Coordinates of all heavy atoms in Angstrom, one line a residue:
R108 N -28.7 16.6 -10.1 CA -28.0 16.5 -8.8 C -27.0 17.6 -8.7 O -25.8 17.4 -8.3 CB -27.4 15.1 -8.6 CG -28.4 14.0 -8.5 CD -27.8 12.7 -8.1 NE -28.8 11.7 -7.8 CZ -29.3 10.8 -8.7 NH1 -28.9 10.9 -10.0 NH2 -30.2 10.0 -8.3
T109 N -27.4 18.8 -9.1 CA -26.4 20.0 -9.2 C -25.9 20.3 -7.8 O -24.8 20.9 -7.6 CB -27.1 21.2 -9.8 OG1 -27.7 20.8 -11.1 CG2 -26.1 22.3 -10.1
E110 N -26.7 19.9 -6.7 CA -26.2 20.2 -5.4 C -24.9 19.3 -5.1 O -24.2 19.6 -4.1 CB -27.3 20.0 -4.3 CG -27.7 18.6 -4.2 CD -28.8 18.1 -5.1 OE1 -29.0 18.8 -6.2 OE2 -29.5 17.1 -4.9
W111 N -24.8 18.3 -5.8 CA -23.6 17.4 -5.7 C -22.4 18.1 -6.4 O -21.3 18.1 -5.9 CB -23.8 16.0 -6.3 CG -24.8 15.2 -5.6 CD1 -25.8 15.6 -4.7 CD2 -24.9 13.8 -5.7 NE1 -26.5 14.5 -4.3 CE2 -26.0 13.4 -4.9 CE3 -24.2 12.8 -6.4 CZ2 -26.4 12.0 -4.8 CZ3 -24.6 11.5 -6.3 CH2 -25.7 11.1 -5.5
E112 N -22.6 18.5 -7.6 CA -21.6 19.1 -8.5 C -22.3 19.7 -9.7 O -23.5 19.3 -10.0 CB -20.6 18.1 -8.9 CG -19.4 18.7 -9.8 CD -18.5 19.5 -8.9 OE1 -18.9 20.7 -8.6 OE2 -17.4 19.1 -8.6
G113 N -21.7 20.7 -10.3 CA -22.3 21.3 -11.5 C -21.3 21.7 -12.5 O -20.1 21.7 -12.2
F114 N -21.7 22.1 -13.7 CA -20.7 22.5 -14.7 C -19.9 23.7 -14.3 O -18.7 23.7 -14.6 CB -21.5 22.7 -16.0 CG -21.9 21.5 -16.7 CD1 -23.3 21.1 -16.6 CD2 -21.0 20.7 -17.4 CE1 -23.7 19.9 -17.2 CE2 -21.5 19.5 -18.0 CZ -22.8 19.1 -17.9
A115 N -20.5 24.7 -13.7 CA -19.7 25.8 -13.3 C -18.5 25.4 -12.3 O -17.4 25.8 -12.5 CB -20.6 26.9 -12.7
T116 N -18.9 24.7 -11.3 CA -17.9 24.4 -10.3 C -16.9 23.3 -10.8 O -15.7 23.4 -10.5 CB -18.6 23.9 -9.0 OG1 -19.6 22.9 -9.3 CG2 -19.2 25.1 -8.2
A117 N -17.4 22.3 -11.5 CA -16.5 21.3 -12.0 C -15.5 21.8 -12.9 O -14.3 21.5 -12.9 CB -17.3 20.1 -12.6
T118 N -15.9 22.7 -13.8 CA -15.0 23.2 -14.8 C -14.0 24.2 -14.3 O -12.9 24.3 -14.7 CB -15.7 23.7 -16.1 OG1 -16.6 24.8 -15.7 CG2 -16.5 22.7 -16.8
R119 N -14.4 24.9 -13.2 CA -13.4 25.8 -12.5 C -12.4 24.9 -11.8 O -11.2 25.3 -11.8 CB -14.1 26.7 -11.5 CG -14.9 27.9 -12.2 CD -15.1 29.0 -11.3 NE -15.8 28.7 -10.1 CZ -17.2 28.7 -9.9 NH1 -17.9 29.1 -11.0 NH2 -17.7 28.4 -8.8
A120 N -12.8 23.8 -11.2 CA -11.8 22.9 -10.6 C -10.9 22.4 -11.6 O -9.7 22.2 -11.4 CB -12.6 21.8 -9.8
A121 N -11.4 22.0 -12.8 CA -10.6 21.5 -13.8 C -9.5 22.5 -14.2 O -8.3 22.2 -14.3 CB -11.4 21.1 -15.0
A122 N -9.9 23.7 -14.4 CA -9.0 24.8 -14.9 C -7.9 25.0 -13.8 O -6.8 25.2 -14.1 CB -9.8 26.1 -15.1
A123 N -8.3 25.0 -12.5 CA -7.4 25.2 -11.4 C -6.3 24.0 -11.4 O -5.2 24.2 -10.9 CB -8.1 25.3 -10.1
G124 N -6.7 22.9 -11.9 CA -5.8 21.7 -11.9 C -5.1 21.5 -13.2 O -4.5 20.4 -13.4
G125 N -5.1 22.4 -14.2 CA -4.4 22.3 -15.4 C -5.1 21.4 -16.5 O -4.6 21.1 -17.5
V126 N -6.4 21.2 -16.2 CA -7.2 20.3 -17.1 C -8.0 21.3 -18.0 O -8.8 22.1 -17.5 CB -8.2 19.4 -16.3 CG1 -9.1 18.6 -17.3 CG2 -7.4 18.5 -15.4
T127 N -7.9 21.1 -19.3 CA -8.5 22.1 -20.3 C -9.7 21.4 -21.0 O -10.4 22.1 -21.7 CB -7.5 22.6 -21.3 OG1 -6.8 21.6 -21.8 CG2 -6.6 23.6 -20.6
T128 N -9.8 20.1 -20.9 CA -10.9 19.4 -21.6 C -11.4 18.3 -20.6 O -10.5 17.5 -20.1 CB -10.5 18.7 -22.9 OG1 -9.9 19.7 -23.8 CG2 -11.6 18.0 -23.6
I129 N -12.7 18.2 -20.4 CA -13.3 17.0 -19.7 C -14.3 16.4 -20.6 O -14.9 17.0 -21.5 CB -13.8 17.5 -18.3 CG1 -15.1 18.3 -18.5 CG2 -12.8 18.1 -17.5 CD1 -15.8 18.6 -17.2
V130 N -14.6 15.1 -20.3 CA -15.7 14.4 -20.9 C -16.6 13.9 -19.8 O -16.2 13.2 -18.9 CB -15.3 13.3 -21.8 CG1 -16.5 12.7 -22.6 CG2 -14.2 13.8 -22.9
D131 N -17.8 14.4 -19.8 CA -18.8 14.1 -18.8 C -19.5 12.8 -18.9 O -19.9 12.4 -20.0 CB -19.9 15.2 -18.8 CG -21.0 15.0 -17.8 OD1 -20.8 14.9 -16.6 OD2 -22.2 14.9 -18.3
M132 N -19.6 12.1 -17.7 CA -20.2 10.8 -17.7 C -21.7 10.9 -17.8 O -22.3 11.9 -17.4 CB -19.8 10.0 -16.4 CG -18.4 9.4 -16.5 SD -18.4 8.1 -17.7 CE -16.6 7.9 -17.9
P133 N -22.4 9.8 -18.3 CA -23.8 9.9 -18.6 C -24.7 9.7 -17.4 O -25.9 9.9 -17.5 CB -24.1 8.8 -19.6 CG -23.0 7.8 -19.3 CD -21.8 8.6 -18.8
L134 N -24.2 9.3 -16.2 CA -25.1 9.1 -15.1 C -24.7 10.0 -13.9 O -23.8 10.8 -14.0 CB -24.9 7.6 -14.6 CG -23.6 7.2 -13.9 CD1 -23.9 6.0 -13.0 CD2 -22.5 6.9 -14.9
N135 N -25.6 9.9 -12.9 CA -25.6 10.8 -11.7 C -26.4 12.1 -12.1 O -27.0 12.7 -11.2 CB -24.3 11.2 -11.2 CG -23.5 10.1 -10.6 OD1 -23.9 8.9 -10.8 ND2 -22.3 10.3 -10.0
S136 N -26.5 12.5 -13.3 CA -27.4 13.6 -13.7 C -28.8 13.0 -13.9 O -28.9 11.8 -14.0 CB -26.9 14.2 -15.0 OG -26.8 13.3 -16.0
I137 N -29.8 13.8 -13.9 CA -31.2 13.4 -14.2 C -31.7 14.4 -15.2 O -31.8 15.6 -15.0 CB -32.1 13.5 -12.9 CG1 -31.5 12.6 -11.8 CG2 -33.5 13.0 -13.2 CD1 -32.2 12.7 -10.5
P138 N -32.0 13.9 -16.4 CA -32.0 12.5 -16.8 C -30.6 12.0 -17.2 O -29.7 12.8 -17.5 CB -32.9 12.5 -18.1 CG -32.7 13.9 -18.7 CD -32.5 14.8 -17.5
S139 N -30.4 10.7 -17.1 CA -29.2 10.1 -17.6 C -29.1 10.3 -19.1 O -30.1 10.3 -19.8 CB -29.1 8.6 -17.3 OG -29.3 8.4 -15.9
T140 N -27.9 10.3 -19.6 CA -27.7 10.6 -21.1 C -27.8 9.3 -21.9 O -26.8 8.8 -22.4 CB -26.3 11.3 -21.3 OG1 -26.1 12.3 -20.3 CG2 -26.2 11.9 -22.7
V141 N -29.0 8.8 -21.9 CA -29.2 7.5 -22.6 C -30.1 7.7 -23.9 O -30.4 6.7 -24.6 CB -29.9 6.5 -21.7 CG1 -29.0 6.2 -20.5 CG2 -31.2 7.0 -21.2
D142 N -30.4 8.9 -24.3 CA -31.0 9.2 -25.6 C -30.7 10.6 -26.0 O -30.1 11.4 -25.2 CB -32.5 9.0 -25.5 CG -33.2 9.7 -24.4 OD1 -32.9 10.9 -24.1 OD2 -34.2 9.2 -23.8
V143 N -31.0 11.0 -27.2 CA -30.6 12.3 -27.7 C -31.3 13.4 -26.9 O -30.7 14.5 -26.7 CB -30.9 12.4 -29.2 CG1 -30.7 13.8 -29.7 CG2 -30.0 11.4 -30.0
E144 N -32.5 13.2 -26.6 CA -33.3 14.3 -25.8 C -32.6 14.6 -24.5 O -32.4 15.8 -24.1 CB -34.7 13.8 -25.5 CG -35.5 14.8 -24.8 CD -37.0 14.4 -24.5 OE1 -37.3 13.2 -24.9 OE2 -37.8 15.1 -24.0
A145 N -32.1 13.6 -23.8 CA -31.4 13.8 -22.5 C -30.0 14.5 -22.8 O -29.6 15.4 -22.0 CB -31.1 12.5 -21.8
L146 N -29.4 14.1 -23.9 CA -28.1 14.8 -24.2 C -28.4 16.3 -24.5 O -27.6 17.2 -24.0 CB -27.5 14.2 -25.5 CG -26.3 14.9 -26.1 CD1 -25.1 14.9 -25.1 CD2 -25.9 14.3 -27.4
E147 N -29.4 16.6 -25.2 CA -29.7 18.0 -25.5 C -30.1 18.8 -24.2 O -29.7 20.0 -24.1 CB -30.9 18.1 -26.5 CG -30.5 17.6 -27.9 CD -31.6 17.5 -28.9 OE1 -32.8 17.5 -28.4 OE2 -31.4 17.3 -30.1
V148 N -30.8 18.1 -23.3 CA -31.0 18.8 -22.0 C -29.7 19.1 -21.3 O -29.5 20.3 -20.8 CB -31.9 17.9 -21.1 CG1 -32.0 18.4 -19.7 CG2 -33.3 17.8 -21.7
K149 N -28.8 18.2 -21.3 CA -27.5 18.4 -20.6 C -26.7 19.5 -21.3 O -26.1 20.4 -20.7 CB -26.7 17.1 -20.5 CG -25.4 17.2 -19.8 CD -24.8 15.9 -19.6 CE -25.4 15.1 -18.4 NZ -24.6 13.9 -18.0
Q150 N -26.7 19.5 -22.6 CA -26.0 20.5 -23.4 C -26.6 21.9 -23.1 O -25.8 22.9 -23.0 CB -26.0 20.2 -24.9 CG -25.2 19.0 -25.2 CD -25.4 18.5 -26.7 OE1 -26.5 18.6 -27.2 NE2 -24.3 18.0 -27.3
K151 N -27.9 22.0 -23.1 CA -28.5 23.3 -22.8 C -28.1 23.8 -21.5 O -27.9 25.0 -21.3 CB -30.0 23.1 -23.0 CG -30.8 24.5 -22.8 CD -32.3 24.3 -23.0 CE -33.0 25.6 -22.9 NZ -34.5 25.4 -23.1
V152 N -28.1 23.0 -20.5 CA -27.8 23.4 -19.1 C -26.3 23.8 -19.0 O -25.9 24.8 -18.4 CB -28.1 22.3 -18.1 CG1 -27.5 22.6 -16.7 CG2 -29.6 22.0 -18.0
A153 N -25.4 23.1 -19.7 CA -24.0 23.3 -19.7 C -23.6 24.6 -20.4 O -22.6 25.3 -20.0 CB -23.2 22.1 -20.2
A154 N -24.3 24.9 -21.5 CA -23.9 26.1 -22.3 C -23.8 27.3 -21.5 O -24.6 27.6 -20.6 CB -24.9 26.2 -23.4
E155 N -22.8 28.1 -21.7 CA -22.6 29.4 -21.1 C -22.1 29.3 -19.6 O -21.9 30.3 -19.0 CB -23.8 30.3 -21.1 CG -24.5 30.4 -22.4 CD -23.6 31.0 -23.5 OE1 -22.8 31.8 -23.2 OE2 -23.8 30.6 -24.7
Q156 N -21.9 28.0 -19.2 CA -21.4 27.8 -17.8 C -19.9 27.4 -17.7 O -19.3 27.5 -16.7 CB -22.2 26.8 -17.1 CG -23.6 27.2 -16.6 CD -24.1 26.3 -15.5 OE1 -23.6 26.4 -14.3 NE2 -24.9 25.3 -15.8
V157 N -19.4 26.8 -18.8 CA -18.2 26.0 -18.7 C -16.9 26.8 -18.9 O -16.8 27.6 -19.9 CB -18.2 24.8 -19.7 CG1 -19.4 23.9 -19.3 CG2 -18.4 25.2 -21.1
T158 N -16.0 26.7 -18.0 CA -14.7 27.4 -18.0 C -13.7 26.7 -18.9 O -12.9 27.3 -19.5 CB -14.2 27.5 -16.6 OG1 -15.1 28.3 -15.8 CG2 -12.8 28.2 -16.6
V159 N -13.8 25.4 -19.0 CA -13.0 24.6 -20.0 C -13.9 23.9 -21.0 O -15.1 23.9 -20.9 CB -12.1 23.6 -19.2 CG1 -11.2 24.3 -18.2 CG2 -12.9 22.5 -18.5
D160 N -13.3 23.2 -21.9 CA -14.1 22.5 -23.0 C -14.7 21.2 -22.4 O -14.0 20.5 -21.6 CB -13.2 22.2 -24.2 CG -12.8 23.5 -25.0 OD1 -13.3 24.5 -24.7 OD2 -12.0 23.3 -25.9
V161 N -15.9 20.9 -22.8 CA -16.6 19.8 -22.3 C -17.2 19.0 -23.4 O -18.0 19.5 -24.3 CB -17.7 20.2 -21.3 CG1 -18.5 19.0 -20.8 CG2 -17.2 21.1 -20.2
G162 N -16.9 17.7 -23.4 CA -17.6 16.7 -24.3 C -18.5 15.8 -23.4 O -18.5 15.9 -22.2
F163 N -19.2 14.9 -24.1 CA -20.2 14.0 -23.4 C -20.1 12.6 -23.8 O -19.9 12.3 -25.0 CB -21.6 14.6 -23.6 CG -21.8 16.0 -23.2 CD1 -21.6 17.0 -24.1 CD2 -22.1 16.3 -21.9 CE1 -21.8 18.3 -23.7 CE2 -22.3 17.6 -21.5 CZ -22.1 18.6 -22.4
W164 N -20.2 11.7 -22.8 CA -20.4 10.3 -23.1 C -21.9 10.0 -23.1 O -22.7 10.7 -22.5 CB -19.8 9.4 -22.0 CG -18.4 9.4 -21.8 CD1 -17.6 10.0 -20.8 CD2 -17.4 8.8 -22.7 NE1 -16.3 9.8 -21.0 CE2 -16.1 9.1 -22.1 CE3 -17.5 8.0 -23.8 CZ2 -15.0 8.6 -22.7 CZ3 -16.3 7.5 -24.4 CH2 -15.1 7.8 -23.9
G165 N -22.3 9.0 -23.9 CA -23.7 8.5 -23.8 C -23.7 7.2 -22.9 O -22.7 6.8 -22.5
G166 N -24.9 6.7 -22.7 CA -25.1 5.6 -21.8 C -25.6 4.4 -22.6 O -26.5 4.5 -23.5
A167 N -25.2 3.2 -22.2 CA -25.8 1.9 -22.7 C -26.4 1.2 -21.5 O -25.7 0.8 -20.6 CB -24.7 1.1 -23.3
V168 N -27.7 1.1 -21.5 CA -28.5 0.5 -20.4 C -29.5 -0.4 -21.1 O -29.8 -0.4 -22.3 CB -29.2 1.6 -19.6 CG1 -28.2 2.5 -18.9 CG2 -30.2 2.4 -20.4
P169 N -30.1 -1.3 -20.3 CA -31.1 -2.2 -20.9 C -32.2 -1.4 -21.6 O -32.8 -0.5 -21.0 CB -31.7 -3.0 -19.6 CG -30.5 -3.0 -18.7 CD -29.9 -1.6 -18.9

Side-chain angles (χ1 to χ4, degrees):
R108 291 187 174 93
T109 309
E110 67 275 16
W111 295 18
E112 185 68 285
F114 284 101
T116 48
T118 57
R119 287 203 301 271
V126 178
T127 51
T128 302
I129 68 171
V130 187
D131 172 60
M132 283 290 166
L134 71 156
N135 296 6
S136 58
I137 302 173
S139 302
T140 315
V141 295
D142 55 37
V143 172
E144 182 179 0
L146 174 65
E147 291 172 346
V148 168
K149 184 171 281 190
Q150 290 170 326
K151 183 176 181 180
V152 169
E155 312 301 327
Q156 285 202 78
V157 295
T158 299
V159 302
D160 290 352
V161 178
F163 301 94
W164 294 107
V168 296

